[in-house]
Amino acid sequence: SSCYPQTNMLDFVFAVDDAVTWHMTNLVKNRSHYSFLKFFGPKKISTIQRYGAGIYYNTLVPCNDRVIKYGVISTDALIEDLFHWKTLYVAGRLQKPVKILAQNENSRLQAALVSNLKSAVTAAFLMLPESFSEEDLYMQIAGLSYSGDFRMIIGEDKSKVQNIVKPNVAHFQKLYSSILQDCPQVVYKHQLGRLEASIDKSPEGQFTQLMALPKTLQQKITALVNPPGKNRDVEEILLQVAHDPDCGFLVHQGISGIVRSSSLVQSAKTILTAGARKSVTYSLKKLYKMTKGGLKKTS
């Protein structure tokens, strides 16, 4: 498609109800896409898929004069991540504008997709100052899934978040407009064509937002402030966090904790699922992109 630079690798994600059957069929049709793991068969591949972020990637696959990678995730694992931010791996991708190619009529999945976007807005509100621009909001949202990702330190282009948001503001608006219109803190200035927000930074306001966060993130935040051995309930701890001047920083730390562990396991999995040769090629491409990004900024 002409809207993508021809050099970029296209990234697809397939949500499948039955991973074993899907891999069984795909191994017959596209055996060459798999690393040596193809010799272990579809059951073993599906087991490996469940580790880390619950997604199995075939990468550097030639397709119609392009190079693509595609991930396979079970619908249940995807829904779980969207609602609870268990790994934020695919949920994080779906907080940014993506093209949904086909979708089954799955009402739980529909609800989970909306829930994920609402959670992203809530987390961003907690980390942003009292007032901010629309672009600030999208920058904060787009950066959520990179917090704590070690690949952003050793390989990803540092200005990646800016590169995602700036050319795609209209797409972000389309994705988030209905959610933002339902937010009492947000005012659309239609004549100016922009959004103005004033967030309630009172302990009460922050407590309401903290209570609306996904379950895994609430657990990560409570673990940061609750010393081991003290059995206080989540609500009590989040009330304490709501009064803390570092509330936004604690939310950021909690998100970093989720992303750090899932990105580490997922990257280790890449060596298996891509095979050694493809892993090295893929890593070199990443490093090349990073150095190119660095050169652009300094020139």
Side-chain angles (χ1 to χ4, degrees), residues 44-173:
K44 197 68 181 164
I45 286 170
S46 301
T47 305
I48 291 163
Q49 181 179 308
R50 285 197 291 271
Y51 285 104
I55 189 164
Y56 185 101
Y57 261 102
N58 282 332
T59 191
L60 294 172
V61 174
C63 176
N64 296 344
D65 301 327
R66 293 295 301 271
V67 176
I68 70 163
K69 61 175 178 170
Y70 62 91
V72 185
I73 189 169
S74 82
T75 310
D76 287 344
L78 173 59
I79 289 170
E80 169 85 0
D81 197 30
L82 291 167
F83 273 128
H84 304 306
W85 287 9
K86 197 174 166 196
T87 69
L88 253 177
Y89 199 84
V90 181
R93 281 167 166 70
L94 292 171
Q95 289 159 1
K96 305 172 190 78
V98 296
K99 176 93 177 139
I100 295 179
L101 298 172
Q103 202 173 343
N104 289 346
E105 288 303 308
N106 183 327
S107 56
R108 259 194 94 229
L109 180 56
Q110 290 288 346
L113 286 162
V114 175
S115 169
N116 179 42
L117 298 179
K118 284 182 177 172
S119 298
V121 169
T122 306
F125 282 175
L126 281 158
M127 290 190 283
L128 283 161
E130 202 169 335
S131 56
F132 49 85
S133 71
E134 188 170 9
E135 199 174 287
D136 291 338
L137 174 64
Y138 300 143
M139 288 285 288
Q140 193 74 54
I141 289 171
L144 291 175
S145 59
Y146 298 118
S147 320
D149 186 340
F150 76 99
R151 293 171 307 167
M152 288 299 275
I153 306 155
I154 54 154
E156 291 284 3
D157 185 348
K158 297 286 195 299
S159 58
K160 184 163 189 167
V161 176
Q162 215 163 7
N163 295 343
I164 291 167
V165 175
K166 283 203 181 292
N168 291 301
V169 169
H171 292 112
F172 274 96
Q173 283 172 328

Side-chain angles (χ1 to χ4, degrees), residues 55 70 100 151 177 185 190 209 215 242 263 280 287 294:
I55 189 164
Y70 62 91
I100 295 179
R151 293 171 307 167
S177 64
Q185 306 100 317
H190 285 290
Q209 289 165 1
K215 192 172 67 184
S263 69
V280 170
L287 284 165

